[in-house]
Amino acid sequence: MKKQTGIQHLLGIEGMQPAAIESLLDLGETYLERHRSGKKIKKILKNRTQINLFFEDSTRTRTSFELAGKRLGADVINMSTSTSSIKKGETLIDTAMTLNAMRPSALVIRHGSSGAAELLAQKVGCAVINAGDGRHEHPTQALLDALTIRRRKGRIARLIVAICGDIAHSRVARSNIHLLNAMGALVRVVAPPTLLPDSIDRMGVEVHHDMEAGLKDADVVMMLRLQTERMGGSFVPSTPEYYHFYGLDAAKLAHADPDALIMHPGPMNRGVEIDSAIADAPRSAIQEQVETGVAIRMACLDALCRDLPDMGDD
Amino acid sequence: MSADRRVVYMNARLIDPATGLDETGGLLTVGDKIWDFGQDLFSDGVTDGSEVVECDGKCLVPGLVDMQVFLGESIDATSAAAAAGGVTSIAVMPNMSPALDQVALVDYIMRLARDAAVHVYPIAAATKGLAGQEMTEIGLLREAGALAFTDGRAAISDAQVMRRLLTYARAHDAIVMQHAEEPSLADGGVMNEGEMATRMGLPSIPAAAEVMMIERDLRLVEMTGARYHVALVTTAEGIDAVREAKARGLPVTCGTAPHYFSLNELATAEYRTFAKLSPPLRSEDDRRAVVAGLADGTIDVIVSSHDPHDEESKRLPFDLAEPGTVGLETMLAMILELDHGGHMPLARGLRAATCSPADLLGIPGGRLEKGAPADLVIFDPDAPIRIDPEKFHSKAKNSAFDGRPAQGRVLRTVVAGETAFKAD
C-alpha cells in the first residue's frame, strides 16, 4: 500500500510488508465470518462514494467491488467504459480529474495499460484501488487467493504453490508471486516457454515447463486463464495441444499433494486449461474464491477509507 | 553582420578535439571565420580595438554538431534550444509531416535554415513517405543539400529494399542511416526486455532486435560497399558487431545518444514516460558497453536525438505514451559527465560531438582551425547544475534527465562569428 500526502492507495502487492498483508487478510476474514453468520456489518462507508472505473470488460471483479462497497454502506457508481468514448487512454487523466471533482472516497480502476492505476493515483485526491492494470498487478485477487489458501490450509508459509498457464500476460500471476513470496510460500510457475516472461526466475520463482515436475507435491495448484487469442499458433499451437500438456486433469493432478487445493481466478475455459470435473471437485476452491473476494475487497475499502474525513452531513 | 568584425576571446582554455590541442590562450574571429588562435595570441593584451570577450579560463571549444534532431517544434524553437545547449549545427531528421522525401521539401528546409540561429542541415527520407518500400530521389536530394538518407524512427526492414538503397546510394557517395531494430521482434514492445519489463508488466523489446538488424545490414554493406551508419547503438552486442565490422574495414560508422550512456532501464521505474525512448533504455551492462564503445572509438558520434513532445503525448499510461526525449540542452552536460566520471578524457567525448559528425556528414565546422567557421561554445565544465526543463529554451519539457544533478554550464554560443546564446 502506498501512502501519498496522507491518502493510501492499493496499487500493487510488490513492496508490501508481510504485516500489512496479514492485517488485510485478518480484516477480510472478519468480514467473511460476519457475513456468513448474518451478523450486522457496520456501514463504515455510509455517505461515502465509491466509483468503479472499468476500462476493460469485467463482470466478476466489478460486481465483487460493487457488492463490497454496498455492504459497507457506500454509494457505488459504476463507470464501465469499454464501449464508451472514454475507452481510449488519452482521456484517462481527464476522466480521472472529472471523477475526482465529484469527491469520491475511493476510485476502483481497471485499465488495459500497466501503470494506469499508479498514474491515476498521482492525479486524484482519493484512495485508488487497482482492480487490474495491464499485465502488471491485480492486488485484490492475490489477497483473496491468499485468504482462501490460509482458510483452507491454515497457513501460507512453506506451502508449495504452483501457478500454471499464461504467466506472461497475467497480472494475477505477478501479484500472487509477490504476495506468496512475501508470506514465505515456495512459488513455482509452470508454463510453455512462450507464455513465460523474460527473467521470471528473478522474481523468486522456480520455473517449470513440465506439469508433472511442476505439480510434484504441490499444496496449491493455481490455474490461470488462457486467452483464446493466444492459441492457434501465436503462443501455443492449438487448444488440444495446450490441454494435452498443460490442462489440469486427474493424471497431472495426481502428482500434486493428495490434499492439494485447486484454484482459478476465473472465468474458466473448461477443457482448455482445466478439466470440468476437477473444477467442480470438493478440493476445488474456485467458488470459495468468489465469496472471499467480496470480503477482501470490503477489507481493502475499509482499510483505505476509514480514516478519510467524513463526507457525510449526519 | 559585418564581414570584418573582429572578436577576441581572451584567456580561454582552448580545446580542439580534432588535434588534441588543450591550452590556455586567445582566439580571434574575423567575420564568420576563425582567424587565429593560440597560447601567444594577444598574450600582450593588445587587441587593436577588437571586441573582447573575457573567458576567465573557461573552455572554448568548437560548437557541437548534432546529427540527429527531430523537428517536433519550429526551426526557431529548435535552433534556440540548440544554441542554448552549445550546439551550432544540427541535422534534422526526415520524420515530419509531410516526410522529407522530395526535393521541394528539402529546398524549403534549406530556405528556413538561412534565418535560423544555428546551422541547419536536412537529412532526407531514404524511402518515399518513410514507408520502407520505394527509394527516394537520392541523387537529386543529395544535390539539393540532403546530407544523408534514413527513415528516421522507422527501420528499413525489407532486406531487398535496403540492398538496393545501399547499392544506389553508393553511386552518389550517400550515407544510409539505419534505425537498427528488427520490427517484427520489436512489435508492440515499449521497453527493454528483462526483469524490469517483466515486473512492470510491459511488453518488451529484446536487445537482439538491434543486433540482428545491424548484422543483417553489415552483410548488405559487404555486398554493396556503401557507407552505412547505425543511428543509435544501445546494446553491448550491437557495438561488438560494429567494432568487428570496422576491424574488417567495412565503411561503417555508428552513433549513440547521451541517454544510452547516462541512463539505464531503471529510469523507467514508476512508469516514467519521459524515459520511454526508442530504442528503449537498456540494461546497466549495455550502458557500460556504450561508455566503453565511446572510449575506444567504436562509437563515432554522439547525437542528442532531440525529440520534443507535448505534455499530452507523455501524460499517458506508459504503453500509450510517445517515445522520445528532448536533448539539445543537456547533451554537453552529459558528455562532460563522461569526463567527470573518469571514463574518457574530455577531448574524446567532445570529438564525438564536433569534428567526428562534421567529417562524417561532410560539413564545415567542428574544429578550431584557421579559416574554419567561427562556430564556438564557451562553457564552464565544473559548474554544478540541476537539469530543470522549465528553464529550457525548447518549448517541450519531456527530458529524460529531468531533475538530474550535473556539472557544466554553457556560457556563450557563437555561430558564424555572432553570439547566438549568452547565459544570464
Side-chain angles (χ1 to χ4, degrees), chain B residues 331-356:
Chain B
M331 178 154 75
L332 181 61
M334 291 304 114
I335 291 172
L336 292 172
E337 255 189 24
L338 294 170
D339 173 42
H340 291 304
H343 299 295
M344 67 197 71
L346 181 53
R348 165 69 80 180
L350 286 173
R351 195 183 163 82
T354 53
C355 57
S356 177

Side-chain angles (χ1 to χ4, degrees), chain A residues 2 14 89-90 92-93 111 113-115 118-119 135-136 174 178 197-199 202-203, chain B residues 193-195 197-204 269-271 312 315-320:
Chain A
K2 216 166 202 181
E14 187 171 18
E90 281 88 338
L92 173 64
I93 288 178
H111 196 282
S113 293
S114 300
E118 189 157 334
L119 180 63
R135 309 172 181 181
H136 178 224
R174 283 174 178 75
H178 293 307
D198 186 75
S199 307
R202 302 283 293 268
M203 286 178 70
Chain B
E193 185 168 292
E195 182 186 357
T198 292
R199 282 181 184 272
M200 292 170 78
L202 289 171
S204 57
E270 297 183 331
Y271 301 95
E312 297 318 306
R315 267 182 45 174
L316 292 171
F318 196 89
D319 58 341
L320 303 174

Side-chain angles (χ1 to χ4, degrees), chain B residues 53-369:
Chain B
V53 175
E54 173 57 52
C55 297
D56 292 321
K58 303 300 186 224
C59 297
L60 172 61
V61 309
L64 304 190
V65 177
D66 183 355
M67 62 180 278
Q68 187 175 335
V69 172
F70 293 94
L71 270 189
E73 298 179 316
S74 69
I75 285 195
D76 284 348
T78 308
S79 306
V87 178
T88 55
S89 294
I90 59 175
V92 298
M93 298 297 273
N95 309 68
M96 45 188 92
S97 183
L100 206 56
D101 61 357
Q102 290 175 46
V103 170
L105 296 168
V106 167
D107 277 341
Y108 177 65
I109 294 291
M110 299 286 280
R111 199 142 33 83
L112 290 179
R114 283 203 289 270
D115 301 322
V118 300
H119 306 295
V120 180
Y121 301 94
I123 289 179
T127 69
K128 289 176 186 163
L130 305 168
Q133 294 302 319
E134 302 163 59
M135 73 173 90
T136 52
E137 297 168 318
I138 288 177
L140 294 174
L141 288 163
R142 186 102 176 84
E143 283 185 7
L147 295 182
F149 297 85
T150 182
D151 279 358
R153 296 188 189 97
I156 301 160
S157 65
D158 187 296
Q160 184 66 280
V161 170
M162 189 58 164
R163 180 190 176 178
R164 291 205 182 112
L165 257 173
L166 288 167
T167 307
Y168 192 85
R170 192 190 170 192
H172 291 276
D173 195 29
I175 303 168
V176 177
M177 285 168 56
Q178 174 72 296
H179 177 76
E181 189 170 82
E182 166 54 43
S184 61
L185 262 188
D187 188 36
V190 297
M191 75 173 285
N192 187 43
E193 185 168 292
E195 182 186 357
M196 186 88 181
T198 292
R199 282 181 184 272
M200 292 170 78
L202 289 171
S204 57
I205 303 170
E210 173 173 307
V211 188
M212 281 172 64
M213 189 55 96
I214 293 175
E215 285 179 342
R216 182 206 72 174
D217 285 348
L218 290 175
R219 292 276 168 191
L220 298 173
V221 171
E222 212 150 3
M223 286 167 75
T224 59
R227 290 170 69 194
Y228 170 74
H229 179 79
V230 187
L232 296 165
V233 287
T234 66
T235 63
E237 285 174 278
I239 294 163
D240 286 345
V242 173
R243 189 179 285 120
E244 232 168 81
K246 285 185 164 187
R248 279 189 286 144
L250 292 181
V252 175
T253 50
C254 67
T256 196
H259 28 276
Y260 300 114
F261 60 75
S262 302
L263 298 172
N264 62 27
E265 59 191 344
L266 294 175
T268 58
E270 297 183 331
Y271 301 95
R272 216 171 136 255
T273 57
F274 281 7
K276 181 178 178 181
L277 302 163
S278 174
L281 290 174
R282 304 291 187 182
S283 69
E284 174 61 8
D285 287 345
D286 289 317
R287 187 195 69 79
R288 285 164 186 263
V290 172
V291 173
L294 281 164
D296 73 12
T298 301
I299 300 175
D300 302 88
V301 299
I302 296 172
V303 299
S304 71
S305 201
H306 182 79
D307 195 0
H309 289 287
D310 61 18
E311 211 179 339
E312 297 318 306
S313 316
K314 285 287 191 182
R315 267 182 45 174
L316 292 171
F318 196 89
D319 58 341
L320 303 174
E322 289 289 334
T325 175
V326 291
L328 281 165
E329 292 172 74
T330 46
M331 178 154 75
L332 181 61
M334 291 304 114
I335 291 172
L336 292 172
E337 255 189 24
L338 294 170
D339 173 42
H340 291 304
H343 299 295
M344 67 197 71
L346 181 53
R348 165 69 80 180
L350 286 173
R351 195 183 163 82
T354 53
C355 57
S356 177
D359 293 350
L360 210 150
L361 294 174
I363 58 176
R367 52 187 16 98
L368 298 185
E369 199 174 70

